Structure formats: C-alpha cells, structure tokens
Amino acid sequence: MLPHPLDRRTLCVFAALMTLSAAAGAQRPAAPSAIPATSRAFALVRPEYSGERARDVVAFMDRYWRLPGNRGYDASLDTVAAILGSAGYVEESRSRPTDRLTYRIESKPMARPTWEPDSASLTLVGDRVPLLRTATNRNMLTINSRSTPAGGVEGEVVALGDDSLFARTDVRGRIVFAEGNVSRLFAEAVQKRGALGVLAYSMPAYLRPEVHRTTIQFRSIPLDTTRAGWAIMLSTEARDRLRARLAAGPVRVRVAIATSSPVSPERTLIAEVRGSVRPDERFVFSAHVQEPGANDNASGVGAQAEMARVLAALVRGGRTDPQRTITFIWGNEIAATAAFLADTARTRGVRWGMSLDMVGEDTKLTGGTFLIEKMPDPSAVWTRGEDRHTAWGGSPLKEDEIVPHYFNDFVLRRCLDQAAATGWVVRTNPFEGGSDHTPFLRARKPGLLLWHFTDEFYHTDGDRLDKVSARTLANVGTAALVSALTLASADGPTTRAIVAEVEAAAMARLGTEATLSRASVRSGATAWPHEEHILRAWGSYYEGALAAASEIEVGGASPETTAAIQAAVRRVHDETERIARVPQGPNDR
C-alpha cells in the first residue's frame, strides 16, 4: 500500500507489483501494509484469531446434513449462539442501551416442511453388502426423497439411455436407472409414469469422477406430498457396478430409506458490534449454514464465528473501538442476507457486504484456489489476459452492469497483506454470482465473495473435515476482519491512503489492458475502436471507484480527502486518455 501523499517513485514500484498481481493469476505477496490503521488491526487480530477454534465449529457441523429447519441446521445456529454468549454478546431482548455487543435469532414460518435424512441403503439383490449406504455416502439420497415402507422396497431396474425411451418403456412399479438431470427423471418416471423410484448418475468433469470414484454430488427432486417417491444418486463406482450387472441380465435392487419432513421455522442468527460514532452505518458479513459440506459451508460459519469472538475480545478489552457497526449474519443462503436487507431503513446504512463461502480449504487436497470474486468490473464484460472465470460458470455481463467501486482492490490488498506474512496464495475471479454477495449487489450495495474453486469435492460427500485447513481459516478470517476494522473507523489519513492504493491499482490495470489491446490489434484479432472502448471502460470504472471513496471517512470526506480523490481521478483520467490514443507504431504501447 502506498503512503500518502503519493510520490512518483513509490507509485512506479507499487504499480509494477500490482501489474504482476492485480488480475486473476496467483497474487504475489506484497510488502506489509503502509496504512497505520490496517497495520494496527493486523497486529491486534493475528494473535487472537484461532484457525483451530474456527475448525472446531466446522467439526461440529460436519456431523449433520443441514437444511433450514432441520436438526443439524438449528444445532449449528445454537452452537454459534453459544460462542457469542461466551464471548460477551448479549441476547438482544435482554440487552441494555449501553450494550454494544448483541445477538438475536430471528424465526419465520417456512412455506414447506424441512427435510431430514436419517438413513438409506441400496443393495443389489443377491449381494450381502449394500452398493451404497448413507454411512459412507451421505449424499446418495436426494433432497425431498420420502421414506420407503419399513424393511424397504424391492424392484426390477430398467435402464433408460435417454428421455425418449420413456414413451416405449413401461416403468410402472419398476426402478428407473439413467444418467442426467435427476429432477427431470423423477418427474417423468415417478410422478408421471408411476415408477417406484430413480437411480441417477451425474458428475461434472471438474470433480474428476474417474479419480474420486466413490463420491456423490448432492441433488434434489421436486417436493411431492402425495406419493412416497424417492431418487438415489450413484457414485461412479456404483454406476459402473450396476451397469456391469445389467449387462449380465435382469437386475433387482432393494432400497431402504428413512426420512422425515417436520414443520419447522427458518431461523437466522444475527450478531452486531454497535458502532460508537455511526451505529447506523454497517459493514455486514454473511455465511450460509445450509448444505452438508465441511468447506461448503461449515467453513464460512466457523470462520465468521471466530471473527465475531475475536472482535468481541478486542472491543471488551478496549483495544479497538469500531466507529461503525459490524454485523454478522448466519442463515439460509441468499435468503437470510436478502431478508436483512429488506429493511430499507437499515439497508440505507449498509456500506459494505462480504460473503464467506467455502473459505477453509486445504488446497493441496481439494485442488481449489482461494478467490476473491469481484464486484462487476470490466473483467466481467471483457474477460481476458489473466482473468479467468471458474468452472462454477460465468457468462459475460452487459456493460451497464459494471459497478465502479474501490472495494475490489481494497479487499484484495488486505488479503495480499496477509499473504505477505504467511505465504498464502490469493487470486481473484470476475463476477459470477450464486452466493450471499448477490443480495448486496441487488440492494445496490458493494458486495464481495471470499471462496475457493475449483474444488474437486464441491457439493460431494467427499467434502468433509479432513479437507479443511485451520491455517486457511485463519488467513481468510484475519484478512476479512481487518478489512472491516479498517473501514469501520477510517479517518482522513486512512481514507487518503486507500485512495492512493486504488489509484496505483488503476494505473497498473490500465497498463495491463493497454498491452493486451495493442497485442490484439497487432494480431489482427480486433480493431482499435473496439480496444479503445475497453480501455476507456476501465478508465471510467476506476474514476468511479475513486469517486466512491468519498464515503469511507467516518463523518464524511474532509476537504483534504476530497482534494485527494479529485486529484487521483484526474490522474487516472489523463492516463486513460494517454493509453487510449491510436497506436502510432510498433513500440507504442
């Protein structure tokens, strides 16, 4: 991070560093932060934050298949609430006006019953050992599957190569085996044609099913309250064994399932450390509780619980005093965050939002990489150079969906600060959506996602505690909490240093994009007007990002800060004009 005021030599050095690290490739650890407030926050958080404590929460949650309203989901929330109580948070209904640390559990009726998987097994008739059972393949049973009669059901397996064979095959009273979308197969076979149930197989290539032959990715089927239908997902190993048996002749299987669908409320846990100066302005964290995985997303819950504990210890000990409120949300993915933001009066005060989702990975085991999914910037419209979408999937955004903001570069820098101390590998990816950062953006608030991908165990029953790293949890939790502490109490010098940092990132990005544009034109891939448009879009993005920094300083931007922002905007504008001119020769970048 650059000191303030900005000097040319430091800018050149920092720009060179950021050129190497600002895009989606591996981010190189940079020098420790030069922002005193950030350095102080790291010095406070690092000794306090325990990755092992965070991992203990993951270990507890890893026992359960979690959906809103079921036993595991509610037990997870209660465990975090107990951590908050021990840390000094007061249950809101019992709190006094002077209590700065509070928490509450909000409950609301759900439109449908929850789903509780108890046990399931699939056995080829004639075999003593089940082909699959939930004790070893916890994701074999699709969400909303109903119980079989006591003792299970037995039926003949009919294999269908594709949906067109339904019209020529009587599946009533039989068990359908097919590859593809299990929800569609269930609707056709069970709901429409009277099959007993479905055996399905579907594993994306990025999960490397040829290597992880016994893992199963969880799926769901439509809720059907009128018939006791079910669907079982097969591992690659189970699919191949079933295929081999079918090739030898008719196959019958026995299926035993025990599930329940109790009527329960959906609960959300919210904790807050009230700001001492601007309590109605907030930095909001969100981690979803549902889903059965350890990394997805017990890791986000555990990391955030430890962040809340550390923050309480620092505040109660008088070592930090957040001037804005810091809020933590644990609940149902997207829905809980959206519900929090539905209060328009409260939403007006939300300044920043951050989602922690799949943040604890042992990357040597999962193949995943830590990523900051950026707010929509031009890389989500023109994805090129070292920027890469993940295997999760992303499609180009429209240009009018770009959201100019400093938050991308600010959080990246905090993660690079942590990387400088620990050797952590930090990368970014263009906006893709799909987690708790999206409600912030829909509410026109800055929102980022911290996560890992590609994960070879994503949504599979291989996503267990052994894939979770206490060190990774500490890296993510520390960088995230320091980000909040810095912004929650930012004064003039801190804000101006952030402005300098964003300006340096802008110059580095403009240089990188100019190199890419000129190379594209030289190769004949594009014409200059197209490339000029991209360069000007990046310049406009960073001018807007710098202008947005006027909200950082608590109490509003001081004249000094306003002047620093305006000067930075001018320099970025001038640099954009310089690089956007028509190339005059082969050496003109």
Side-chain angles (χ1 to χ4, degrees), residues 158-166 169 176-180 185:
V158 54
L160 299 181
D162 58 66
D163 290 358
S164 66
L165 295 178
F166 275 116
T169 307
V176 171
F177 163 53
E179 299 194 21
L185 289 170

Side-chain angles (χ1 to χ4, degrees), residues 16 27-28 103 108 148 177 191 198 208 220 259-260 282 310 322 405 446 462-463 496 519:
Q27 307 297 319
R28 311 276 182 93
Y103 75 93
K108 66 176 183 179
T148 59
F177 163 53
Q191 293 182 302
V198 169
R208 300 180 69 202
S220 65
T259 67
S260 58
R282 288 179 170 83
V310 170
H405 209 275
D463 179 10
R496 293 190 287 276

Side-chain angles (χ1 to χ4, degrees), residues 59-350:
F60 175 83
M61 295 176 63
D62 191 41
R63 307 175 193 176
Y64 298 103
W65 218 116
R66 306 175 302 273
L67 284 175
N70 75 6
R71 289 191 303 270
Y73 182 97
D74 287 344
S76 300
L77 282 184
D78 291 339
T79 294
V80 176
I83 291 170
L84 296 174
S86 296
Y89 290 82
V90 180
E91 202 281 319
E92 193 172 274
S93 65
R94 303 196 311 270
S95 66
R96 299 165 297 180
T98 55
D99 289 324
R100 293 188 65 186
L101 280 65
T102 62
Y103 75 93
R104 64 184 181 275
I105 295 180
E106 298 179 349
S107 295
K108 66 176 183 179
M110 291 197 294
R112 58 178 61 186
T114 187
W115 182 73
E116 192 80 65
D118 294 317
S119 65
S121 65
L122 168 66
T123 306
L124 299 172
V125 172
D127 289 357
R128 291 189 303 108
V129 179
L131 183 63
L132 292 173
R133 56 194 181 97
T134 49
T136 52
N137 288 99
R138 71 191 301 185
N139 288 357
M140 64 178 282
L141 199 56
T142 54
I143 298 171
N144 293 326
S145 286
R146 304 285 296 279
S147 295
T148 59
V153 295
E154 185 178 307
E156 178 189 0
V157 176
V158 54
L160 299 181
D162 58 66
D163 290 358
S164 66
L165 295 178
F166 275 116
R168 305 198 304 270
T169 307
D170 182 11
V171 300
R172 183 171 298 277
R174 303 163 85 185
I175 297 171
V176 171
F177 163 53
E179 299 194 21
N181 185 300
V182 68
S183 181
R184 186 177 67 247
L185 289 170
F186 177 82
E188 280 289 336
V190 177
Q191 293 182 302
K192 189 174 179 179
R193 302 175 188 274
L196 289 176
V198 169
L199 307 178
Y201 177 82
S202 177
M203 289 287 282
Y206 65 78
L207 296 178
R208 300 180 69 202
E210 73 283 358
V211 175
H212 308 299
R213 291 182 53 81
T214 62
T215 62
I216 297 174
Q217 194 171 49
F218 76 80
R219 293 286 194 269
S220 65
I221 57 176
L223 177 65
D224 190 335
T225 59
T226 63
R227 57 176 63 81
W230 47 265
I232 289 174
M233 300 304 299
L234 302 178
S235 66
T236 303
E237 178 70 26
R239 178 202 63 178
D240 290 352
R241 286 182 59 190
L242 180 57
R243 276 179 172 174
R245 189 68 68 87
L246 285 165
V251 174
R252 295 182 67 82
V253 297
R254 175 166 291 279
V255 176
I257 296 172
T259 67
S260 58
S261 300
V263 175
S264 305
E266 179 180 323
R267 303 164 75 214
T268 301
L269 174 61
I270 301 171
E272 295 196 305
V273 176
R274 187 164 54 87
S276 60
V277 177
R278 290 285 192 272
D280 293 335
E281 297 178 7
R282 288 179 170 83
F283 191 117
V284 181
F285 291 103
S286 185
H288 70 85
V289 178
Q290 97 292 346
E291 295 186 356
N295 276 307
D296 191 9
N297 183 38
S299 66
V301 173
Q304 192 167 279
E306 177 64 2
M307 289 161 58
R309 186 197 69 81
V310 170
L311 181 55
L314 296 177
V315 171
R316 295 181 73 198
R319 289 179 284 169
T320 192
D321 178 26
Q323 296 181 29
R324 294 177 169 114
T325 295
I326 298 177
T327 301
F328 302 93
I329 302 172
W330 295 267
N332 189 17
E333 188 170 16
I334 297 178
T337 304
F340 182 87
L341 295 170
D343 183 326
T344 55
R346 180 169 56 200
T347 302
R348 277 196 295 270
V350 173

Side-chain angles (χ1 to χ4, degrees), residues 45 49 303-304 307 356 359 424 472-482:
V45 173
Y49 195 99
Q304 192 167 279
M307 289 161 58
L356 276 66
V359 296
W424 184 30
T472 302
L473 288 167
N475 280 328
V476 176
T478 297
L481 185 53
V482 167

Side-chain angles (χ1 to χ4, degrees), residues 386-406:
E386 292 188 344
D387 281 304
R388 296 285 188 277
H389 277 294
T390 72
W392 194 88
S395 56
L397 298 184
K398 297 178 181 178
E399 195 170 343
D400 61 6
E401 295 178 280
I402 293 172
V403 182
H405 209 275
Y406 57 85

